[in-house]
């Protein structure tokens, strides 16, 4: 992509309304534009990152055997009357009346709708286990939307729902979700710690939140420092293997880690003092097991192997897809801008032409664009007629993890410069070597 033809409306000044760094950088880097309190347009650069995050979520969900579908954003109120949540949900629910005076709502979550889909189509244990999920916009009329996409009113969520014949199978689905989430967040360059939490309006007793440690997080968290040493790495998981999934869950849930809602001072104080940590965290996901809370009142029953009709056991599992952009930036930035992890970067590499209009530098840049694109690594090429300083500042702000700088001085000896955004270290090499290095870096992502 040529920057001269792209739409990247960067801001020079710090927007006054942004209180935290991720919000500030998302506005300055031209990723989002606020349209109303807590409601944003996703400009091209932000949209690219959002799509990358979605793609990782899809890949990891499907590896776990979960099936994508798409439900609408608008829902009939009657479904929520069946579960009893229409009145309970309160002012966070955006209620709408259509032209026929039917009560509708903009879905804050989809437990009722998915239960309706299930009951209309599944009647036997033979069709279980089943986990369906979608990535769809939600609306919660938060009283204090703030911090940009972190606490929006309209936000993108991955929400998945498991249907199982008995409690053990449903707990396996819970474990499968925890395992797949650990892998998902690691691929985004994040450490998200599962913590015992409270279930709120979704229900059930068994629930974990996934928290990214950050001083700007809205939750207070307490944990044993030992948990921060755990890495998922490149384990290949057999998601049908209950013992294997349970063992991974045990590994991550044995060290103490809880939000303030479930924090227990006595257990916490039993951890050796040098490992006790109190911090703030950003909630990037939550998983729930709630059994028959929806299936029972909504009549989602199946016949079991004894021919009896039993309510299906359920859980639901969410990832804050749009919130993740903010969380990743909070966890990965410096005073010049964002530093995208390779897994989610909008472009794998930027190319800076130091002498636009010079035949040799232009040709070298075009050559790099071609070679990288041929390897599926579309670069962002800054071909604007701008000073080098301004080009570097833009690249630093938008945070591409790698930059190739092309100038007449280097080209005189056949070299370009490859720079890491994270370390700031640069290395001179031939354009071919730079392309190979970038390809090598992204081969493992
Ligand atoms: C699980 C999936 C649920 O809604 N029902 C379906 C369950 N869980 S949750 O914890 O309430 O939400 C899941 C994740 O969505 C993100 N999130 C938000 N992101 C941005 N702005 C908001 N206002 C907002 N509210 C929730 C969080 O990451 C949360 O973990």
């Amino acid at each position: 992509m040529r920057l001269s033809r792209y739409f990247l409306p960067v801001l020079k000044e710090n927007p006054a309304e942004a209180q935290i760094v991720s919000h500030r950088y998302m506005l300055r880097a031209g990723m989002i534009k606020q349209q109303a309190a807590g409601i944003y347009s996703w400009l091209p650069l932000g949209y690219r990152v959002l799509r990358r995050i979605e793609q990782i979520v899809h890949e990891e969900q499907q590896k776990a055997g979960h099936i994508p579908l798409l439900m609408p954003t608008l829902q009939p109120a009657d479904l929520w009357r069946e579960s009893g949540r229409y009145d309970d949900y309160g002012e966070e629910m955006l209620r709408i009346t259509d032209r026929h005076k039917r009560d509708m709502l903009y879905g804050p979550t989809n437990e009722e709708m998915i239960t309706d889909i299930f009951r209309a189509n599944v009647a036997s244990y033979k069709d279980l286990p089943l986990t369906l999920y979608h990535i769809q916009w939600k609306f919660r009329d938060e009283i204090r939307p703030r911090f940009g996409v972190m606490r929006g009113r309209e936000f993108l969520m991955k929400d998945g729902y498991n249907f199982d014949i008995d409690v053990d199978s449903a707990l396996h689905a819970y474990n499968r979700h925890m395992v797949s989430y650990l892998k998902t967040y690691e691929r985004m360059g994040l450490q998200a710690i599962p913590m015992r939490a409270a279930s709120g309006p979704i229900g059930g007793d068994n629930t974990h939140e996934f928290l990214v440690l950050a001083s700007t997080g809205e939750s207070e968290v307490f944990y044993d420092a030992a948990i921060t040493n755990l890495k998922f790495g490149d384990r290949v998981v057999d998601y049908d293997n209950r013992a294997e999934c349970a063992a991974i869950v045990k590994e991550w849930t044995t060290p103490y880690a809880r939000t303030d809602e479930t924090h227990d001072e006595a257990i916490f104080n039993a951890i050796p003092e040098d490992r006790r940590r109190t911090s703030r965290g950003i909630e990037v996901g939550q998983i729930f097991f709630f059994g028959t809370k929806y299936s029972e009142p909504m009549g989602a029953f199946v016949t079991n192997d004894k021919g009896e009709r039993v309510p299906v056991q359920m859980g639901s599992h969410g990832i804050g897809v749009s919130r993740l952009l903010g969380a990743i930036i909070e966890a990965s930035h410096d005073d010049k801008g964002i530093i995208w992890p390779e897994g989610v970067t909008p472009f794998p590499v930027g190319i800076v032409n130091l002498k636009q209009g010079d035949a040799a530098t232009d040709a070298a840049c075009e050559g790099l664009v071609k070679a990288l694109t041929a390897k599926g690594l579309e670069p962002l090429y800054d071909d604007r007629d701008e000073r080098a300083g301004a080009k570097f500042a833009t690249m630093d702000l938008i945070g591409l993890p790698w930059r190739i700088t092309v100038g007449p001085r280097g080209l005189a000896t056949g070299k370009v410069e490859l720079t890491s955004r994270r370390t700031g270290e640069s290395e001179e090499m031939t354009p071919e070597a730079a392309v190979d290095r970038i390809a090598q870096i992204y081969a493992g992502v």
Side-chain angles (χ1 to χ4, degrees):
M1 176 62 66
R2 287 169 176 275
L3 192 43
S4 65
R5 296 187 195 166
Y6 199 45
F7 181 63
L8 185 73
V10 299
L11 307 178
K12 290 220 170 57
E13 303 301 324
N14 270 329
E17 73 266 32
Q19 298 163 31
I20 60 170
V21 72
S22 57
H23 189 194
R24 203 152 55 230
Y25 283 155
M26 286 185 79
L27 291 170
R28 282 197 49 207
M31 297 175 65
I32 51 170
K33 180 181 184 309
Q34 182 174 310
Q35 306 293 169
I39 300 178
Y40 291 87
S41 287
W42 293 79
L43 306 184
L45 192 77
Y47 186 53
R48 278 184 88 101
V49 182
L50 194 66
R51 284 280 108 97
R52 277 293 306 147
I53 291 175
E54 278 188 77
Q55 193 187 330
I56 292 173
V57 170
H58 274 301
E59 285 172 12
E60 294 305 325
Q61 286 310 297
Q62 288 171 45
K63 276 188 208 161
H66 305 159
I67 303 169
L69 82 174
L70 186 60
M71 291 175 270
T73 52
L74 295 185
Q75 306 187 16
D78 280 346
L79 276 181
W80 289 67
R81 293 197 173 101
E82 286 188 55
S83 72
R85 282 208 296 182
Y86 188 64
D87 293 328
D88 291 354
Y89 221 94
E91 297 210 282
E92 262 193 26
M93 180 183 275
L94 181 64
R95 295 159 209 257
I96 303 159
T97 311
D98 73 11
R99 66 196 298 165
H100 303 294
K101 304 280 177 284
R102 276 188 288 251
D103 293 333
M104 309 285 289
L105 56 101
Y106 192 135
T109 176
N110 285 58
E111 279 80 6
E112 285 77 1
M113 187 169 277
I114 200 84
T115 305
D116 179 55
I117 292 173
F118 180 89
R119 70 181 173 188
N121 295 290
V122 182
S124 160
Y125 74 98
K126 290 182 188 153
D127 295 326
L128 304 183
L130 178 66
T131 295
L132 300 168
Y133 77 93
H134 71 165
I135 298 180
Q136 177 62 293
W137 295 94
K138 303 287 184 286
F139 197 95
R140 293 182 185 173
D141 206 352
E142 303 273 353
I143 187 156
R144 234 172 274 108
R146 57 180 187 159
F147 301 158
V149 299
M150 291 274 225
R151 179 163 295 282
R153 291 198 297 162
E154 190 185 44
F155 61 97
L156 193 58
M157 190 201 288
K158 169 264 161 181
D159 40 323
Y161 305 85
N162 67 284
F163 300 92
D164 287 278
I165 190 64
D166 53 33
V167 172
D168 275 357
S169 308
L171 289 175
H172 172 54
Y174 186 88
N175 290 348
R176 238 179 19 240
H177 280 89
M178 184 178 291
V179 173
S180 66
Y181 281 22
L182 292 170
K183 174 75 182 167
T184 301
Y185 297 123
E186 260 194 39
R187 280 188 64 188
M188 297 175 188
L190 282 177
Q191 179 166 51
I193 303 173
M195 301 203 184
R196 281 260 307 261
S199 67
I202 306 294
D205 304 325
N206 219 341
T207 180
H208 281 87
E209 285 180 4
F210 291 78
L211 287 119
V212 173
L213 300 175
S215 56
T216 46
E218 293 192 277
S219 317
E220 191 177 14
V221 298
F222 302 84
Y223 62 97
D224 177 342
I227 201 164
T228 57
N229 298 327
L230 298 176
K231 290 271 167 316
F232 196 86
D234 349 301
R235 309 175 200 206
V236 178
V237 180
D238 173 0
Y239 281 101
D240 288 332
N241 186 328
R242 293 187 179 199
E244 188 181 346
C245 291
I248 296 172
V249 167
K250 189 156 180 230
E251 199 181 332
W252 258 272
T253 52
T254 303
Y256 186 89
R258 295 192 187 187
T259 64
D260 54 356
E261 295 160 326
T262 56
H263 177 57
D264 184 322
E265 201 64 31
I267 311 179
F268 187 61
N269 287 334
I271 304 168
E273 197 174 351
D274 62 327
R275 296 206 323 244
R276 265 178 248 157
R277 298 281 189 282
T278 306
S279 168
R280 315 247 355 138
I282 303 168
E283 181 203 323
V284 291
Q286 187 162 4
I287 56 177
F288 302 82
F289 165 64
F290 43 68
T292 60
K293 173 173 170 166
Y294 301 90
S295 55
E296 196 113 46
M298 294 186 66
F301 285 64
V302 287
T303 33
N304 65 16
D305 57 359
K306 297 186 197 75
E308 300 154 347
R309 299 246 308 145
V310 293
V312 69
Q313 296 286 336
M314 290 175 62
S316 74
H317 316 274
I319 292 182
V321 172
S322 49
R323 174 179 286 182
L324 271 166
L325 276 94
I328 292 168
I329 297 172
E330 289 296 324
S332 185
H333 67 268
D334 62 14
D335 56 2
K336 294 190 219 133
I338 303 165
I339 306 174
W340 290 116
E342 276 86 357
V344 298
T345 184
F347 294 93
V349 54
I351 298 173
V352 168
N353 185 338
L354 292 179
K355 200 168 183 200
Q356 206 67 47
D358 175 88
T361 51
D362 288 2
C365 289
E366 304 287 349
L368 281 166
V369 170
K370 237 191 192 151
L372 286 161
T373 307
K375 290 185 186 287
L377 297 161
E378 190 197 357
L380 181 65
Y381 170 28
D382 191 345
D383 62 339
R384 296 169 308 158
D385 200 8
E386 280 276 0
R387 293 178 298 111
K391 291 191 176 187
F392 290 145
T394 300
M395 283 295 174
D396 285 344
L397 174 63
I398 68 171
L400 308 185
W402 298 94
R403 185 184 81 210
I404 303 176
T405 310
V406 183
R409 208 176 308 153
L411 283 182
T413 58
K415 300 280 174 67
V416 296
E417 194 181 59
L418 180 65
T419 307
S420 156
R421 173 71 182 84
R422 190 169 293 280
T423 66
E425 280 164 24
S426 293
E427 212 184 311
E428 287 211 331
M429 59 185 77
T430 63
E432 296 74 28
V435 171
D436 286 347
R437 180 76 68 83
I438 297 290
Q440 216 170 36
I441 290 164
Y442 283 94
V445 172

